[in-house]
């Protein structure tokens, strides 16, 4: 038996179970698939050569990187040469937006949505600070972008890039990407999408949908943290953001993180299989059962975002009059993991900009929890999680009523 197979994988699984009894926060980061870890290990140990070297050991490593590139490309319906590896989704987003500046000074206009991740919002602020113009398109109360407002925002001959996320990280709401692409291309603009949450959870076929740039991150679909990818269509030019040794065909310099790239490739292959065999349908069924039980048992609970047009993995629920941080404390004590909105902002005192953009006030946002599911969940633990949420909400409602005001912990 290989040193890298069953005994090690059992220990990994046991440590994960000890660390977190029930995990419903896969939008923050997903559990690393043990078979992904197994695929990575040889490239952390015996196959350690630099893929840029010329000898046989390096060629073997270089071939593994190419195989991973092909697996990621298949997940996206792309060509292998259109995929370049990065360190994360944030880097991919930044690289795409920075590349669009090659169209300056003729085209200095950037279009984004008000619900974008900070990895797009912050580069947009830099775009403005450097002399560009940014239009921020509103969404409806269901979280879906206003297509009429998008059309009005376009400036033919001036708009360089439209950057809109495929699936929102807080609500799971899916953008109407086909219409977005058509509107942008009619105005002569390039299209970038942050597909970090969408990749592997919904079908993506870039051979059919002519997106120009697309960002993904491995740790959102059961690969490790620290590796991402950027799709760059062969139809468009690309200006590298990171310069140096010319790796990734000169598009992203820096020695490749081979073990993590291999892991991302393996995870992409597994997600392709999951999309084919109905795994995401099973995940959605667990999510729907969880929502149904909580919504029927707890009064004054509402769901955020479009009920159908969302990821099968994501549920954003607002418990009116209950402080989300107080809920998190009780649930954490019960060994249950979820988030108060986006994991990137859980420690922030500011309300969710996503819910704010959807028309909700700060009090609504402060009472919202996000639950995100994956194939590593099962029906019994989801039922247990629902019971824990119901119990925590009931306890806090009783405490609030007795205190004649909202209960806030911490």
């Amino acid at each position: 038996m290989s040193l890298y197979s069953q005994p090690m994988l059992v220990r990994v699984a046991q440590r994960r179970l000890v660390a977190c009894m029930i995990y419903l926060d896969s939008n923050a980061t997903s559990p690393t698939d043990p078979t992904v870890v197994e695929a990575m290990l040889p490239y952390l140990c015996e196959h350690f050569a630099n893929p840029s070297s010329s000898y046989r050991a390096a060629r073997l490593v270089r071939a593994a990187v190419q195989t991973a590139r092909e697996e990621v490309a298949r997940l996206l319906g792309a060509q292998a040469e259109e995929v370049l590896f990065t360190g994360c989704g944030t880097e991919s987003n930044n690289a795409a937006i920075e590349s669009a500046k090659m169209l300056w000074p003729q085209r200095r206009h950037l279009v984004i949505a008000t619900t974008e991740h900070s990895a797009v919002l912050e580069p947009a602020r830099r775009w403005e600070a450097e002399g560009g113009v940014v239009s921020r398109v509103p969404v409806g109360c269901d979280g879906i972008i206003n297509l009429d407002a998008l059309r009005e925002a376009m400036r033919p001959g001036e708009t360089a890039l439209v950057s809109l996320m495929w699936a929102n990280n807080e609500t799971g709401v899916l953008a109407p990407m086909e219409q977005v692409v058509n509107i942008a291309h009619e105005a002569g603009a390039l299209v970038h999408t942050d597909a970090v949450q969408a990749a592997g959870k919904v079908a993506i076929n870039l051979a059919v949908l002519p997106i120009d740039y697309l960002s993904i991150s491995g740790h959102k679909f059961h690969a490790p943290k620290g590796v991402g990818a950027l799709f760059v269509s062969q139809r468009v030019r690309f200006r590298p953001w990171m310069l140096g040794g010319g790796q990734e065909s000169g598009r992203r310099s820096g020695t490749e993180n081979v073990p993590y790239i291999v892991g991302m490739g393996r995870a992409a292959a597994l997600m392709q299989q999951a999309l084919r065999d109905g795994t995401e349908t099973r995940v959605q069924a667990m999510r729907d059962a969880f929502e149904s039980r909580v919504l029927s048992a707890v009064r004054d609970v509402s769901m955020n975002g479009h009920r159908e047009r969302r990821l099968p993995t994501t549920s954003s629920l607002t418990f009116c009059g209950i402080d989300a941080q107080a809920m998190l404390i009780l649930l954490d004590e019960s060994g249950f993991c979820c988030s108060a909105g986006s994991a990137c902002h859980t420690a922030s005192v500011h309300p969710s900009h996503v819910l704010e953009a959807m028309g909700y006030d700060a009090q609504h946002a402060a009472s919202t929890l996000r639950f995100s599911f994956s194939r590593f969940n099962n029906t019994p633990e989801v039922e247990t999680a629902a019971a824990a949420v119901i119990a925590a909400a009931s306890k806090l409602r009783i405490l609030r009523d007795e205190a004649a005001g909202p209960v806030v912990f911490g």
Side-chain angles (χ1 to χ4, degrees):
M1 181 177 288
S2 168
L3 174 65
Y4 308 123
S5 56
Q6 203 61 33
M8 182 281 301
L9 298 177
V10 169
R11 289 197 295 274
V12 169
Q14 288 173 338
R15 284 197 294 271
R16 185 164 65 218
L17 288 172
V18 169
C20 177
M21 187 179 299
I22 298 178
Y23 187 78
L24 294 184
D25 201 20
S26 286
N27 281 17
T29 193
S30 60
T32 306
D33 193 308
T35 62
V36 168
V37 177
E38 188 170 22
M40 293 169 58
L41 283 171
Y43 298 91
L44 286 164
C45 300
E46 60 262 37
H47 302 312
F48 57 84
N50 189 322
S52 294
S53 298
S54 59
Y55 36 79
R56 183 184 304 171
R59 293 197 298 271
L60 185 152
V61 174
R62 190 159 59 249
V65 171
Q66 180 61 20
T67 297
R69 196 184 313 279
E70 292 167 358
E71 289 171 335
V72 171
R74 279 192 288 271
L75 179 66
L76 302 177
Q79 299 298 313
E81 58 269 22
E82 296 177 307
V83 174
L84 64 102
F85 290 111
T86 66
C88 58
T90 294
E91 181 191 333
S92 297
N93 286 341
N94 276 262
I97 293 171
E98 287 294 315
S99 179
K101 290 178 182 175
M102 66 185 171
L103 300 176
W104 289 24
Q106 289 82 9
R107 293 176 178 264
R108 288 180 173 266
H109 182 222
L110 170 67
V111 177
I112 65 172
T114 52
T115 50
E116 296 302 313
H117 191 276
S118 58
V120 167
L121 295 175
E122 291 303 318
R125 291 189 182 100
R126 176 184 289 176
W127 182 288
E128 286 178 311
E130 294 178 352
V133 178
V134 178
S135 293
R136 295 168 175 83
V137 180
V139 300
C141 60
D142 58 2
I144 296 176
I145 189 167
N146 185 319
L147 291 175
D148 289 334
L150 177 61
R151 289 187 186 92
E152 292 176 5
M154 301 306 300
R155 302 180 185 179
E158 298 180 29
T159 305
L161 181 70
V162 174
S163 180
L164 298 175
M165 67 191 337
W166 194 306
N168 187 267
N169 54 304
E170 293 190 30
T171 64
V173 169
L174 296 167
M177 288 308 302
E178 184 175 353
Q179 293 96 316
V180 167
V181 171
N182 290 337
I183 291 169
H185 283 175
E186 284 174 4
L190 298 173
V191 177
H192 164 251
T193 183
D194 173 352
V196 164
Q197 293 293 344
K201 302 170 190 175
V202 296
I204 296 175
N205 188 350
L206 298 176
V208 175
L209 186 59
I211 289 170
D212 301 300
Y213 306 117
L214 181 145
S215 304
I216 63 174
S217 182
H219 77 105
K220 303 297 187 179
F221 56 90
H222 309 298
K225 290 173 282 292
V227 62
L230 177 64
F231 161 84
V232 179
S233 171
Q234 57 190 351
R235 300 180 304 272
V236 301
R237 292 182 296 144
F238 178 73
R239 185 172 70 180
W241 184 41
M242 293 181 65
L243 304 176
Q247 289 85 354
E248 294 298 290
S249 300
R251 297 173 299 178
R252 198 274 190 181
S253 291
T255 303
E256 297 91 340
N257 186 357
V258 174
Y260 283 55
I261 288 171
V262 168
M264 188 176 185
R266 180 61 181 146
L270 292 170
M271 294 309 291
Q272 293 175 63
Q273 180 61 40
L275 286 169
R276 288 194 297 265
D277 66 18
T279 296
E280 292 308 302
T281 301
R282 180 182 68 82
V283 173
Q284 180 174 328
M286 287 191 292
R287 182 206 65 187
D288 291 348
F290 173 86
E291 285 183 347
S292 177
R293 184 169 178 187
V294 172
L295 290 169
S296 63
V298 183
R299 59 184 170 87
D300 297 330
V301 180
S302 60
M303 196 196 78
N304 301 302
H306 198 283
R307 187 171 290 273
E308 283 80 37
R309 292 175 60 177
R310 56 176 169 145
L311 292 172
T313 59
T314 308
S315 177
S316 174
L317 300 178
T318 297
F319 299 80
C320 182
I322 297 177
D323 182 71
Q325 295 298 329
M327 283 277 285
L328 284 177
I329 291 171
L330 292 182
L331 294 173
D332 184 41
E333 290 175 349
S334 301
F336 171 56
C337 300
C338 64
S339 287
S342 166
C344 300
H345 296 96
T346 295
S348 173
V349 297
H350 301 293
S352 161
H353 75 281
V354 172
L355 296 178
E356 190 176 62
M358 291 166 63
Y360 296 113
D361 60 21
Q363 186 174 0
H364 183 99
S367 298
T368 298
L369 292 178
R370 182 193 66 188
F371 306 92
S372 42
F373 304 75
S374 79
R375 69 172 185 266
F376 285 92
N377 295 122
N378 57 59
T379 297
E381 69 178 12
V382 169
E383 291 174 349
T384 301
V389 171
I390 293 166
S394 299
K395 180 177 181 179
L396 291 172
R397 283 259 165 82
I398 291 170
L399 291 173
R400 184 199 64 178
D401 293 343
E402 290 176 349
V407 177
V408 179
F409 290 7

